[in-house]
Amino acid sequence: MKKSLLATALFLSTTASAWAHEHGHDQSQGHAAHVHGQATLLLVADKGQVLATLESPLDNLLGFEHAPRTEKERQAVQQMAKALQAPDTLLSFDPQAGCKLERTQLNSAVLPANLLQGDQTAPAADTADAGHGDLELEASYQCQNPPRTIEVRLFKHFKGLQRLNVEIVSEKEQAARQLHPAQPRIKLD
């Protein structure tokens, strides 16, 4: 079942990218359009596991979207990375689900990988400004029971994020939701 859910999730991502391209939305290597204040979240729930993939403009999370040029910007990247790797920054589940964060992985074409991994000695990047920088976060949660509700906690930690487009794939449903700071919860059927 896990393979079929993951295949469905990949299909949905590909379909969404194709639709956006067809309708004139800016695409960057097949990813969602880069719009400040907005991000996308793909949630795949299969029995006792929840996989989450977040794609967001760095501006939503940092207030800038280039490689860090100053010590203050390097510290901001490290603080963002630390926050995103904390168990309750991304998602919070209903207590009966008993979910625990297993792993996270952060990727960005414009941020040095060592800063994203918490390396205090990371030098400033000497690459040219790449334009619109994004961040991708992958997180895996192990749950004792399938979650019934999920609260997206990003809005509390990152004030630049105002809207989250969520695609949900589970054994019972395939759905899309739009979340915002006043409505950060998803109910799974």
Side-chain angles (χ1 to χ4, degrees), residues 46-182:
D46 186 23
K47 296 179 180 138
Q49 190 169 27
V50 175
L51 304 174
T53 301
L54 172 74
E55 291 184 20
S56 175
L58 283 169
D59 189 68
N60 297 343
L61 308 170
L62 290 171
F64 61 90
E65 53 186 354
H66 53 76
R69 298 179 182 135
T70 66
E71 182 59 30
K72 184 177 179 180
E73 288 180 348
R74 281 189 291 283
Q75 289 175 356
V77 171
Q78 289 173 326
Q79 289 172 353
M80 174 203 65
K82 185 176 180 180
L84 288 171
Q85 293 173 356
D88 288 338
T89 300
L90 179 60
L91 303 175
S92 177
F93 301 89
D94 55 283
Q96 298 83 358
C99 298
K100 296 202 185 289
L101 180 64
E102 284 189 323
R103 68 166 187 83
T104 59
Q105 182 175 341
L106 300 170
N107 296 300
S108 175
V110 300
L111 297 178
N114 50 352
L115 276 181
L116 294 174
Q117 303 310 317
D119 184 348
Q120 301 290 333
T121 62
D126 43 281
T127 60
D129 188 10
H132 297 289
D134 294 319
L135 180 90
E136 182 177 290
L137 165 67
E138 294 178 6
S140 175
Y141 296 83
Q142 189 63 45
C143 304
Q144 294 173 352
N145 299 301
R148 291 184 294 194
T149 60
I150 300 174
E151 179 182 354
V152 177
R153 300 180 55 94
L154 291 167
F155 299 112
K156 294 179 181 180
H157 299 278
F158 301 103
K159 301 302 180 195
L161 182 61
Q162 295 301 308
R163 189 170 83 191
L164 190 60
N165 299 314
V166 183
E167 294 178 40
I168 304 159
V169 179
S170 72
E171 293 178 62
K172 296 181 180 179
E173 73 175 312
Q174 296 175 16
R177 306 267 195 292
Q178 255 188 18
L179 303 181
H180 49 83

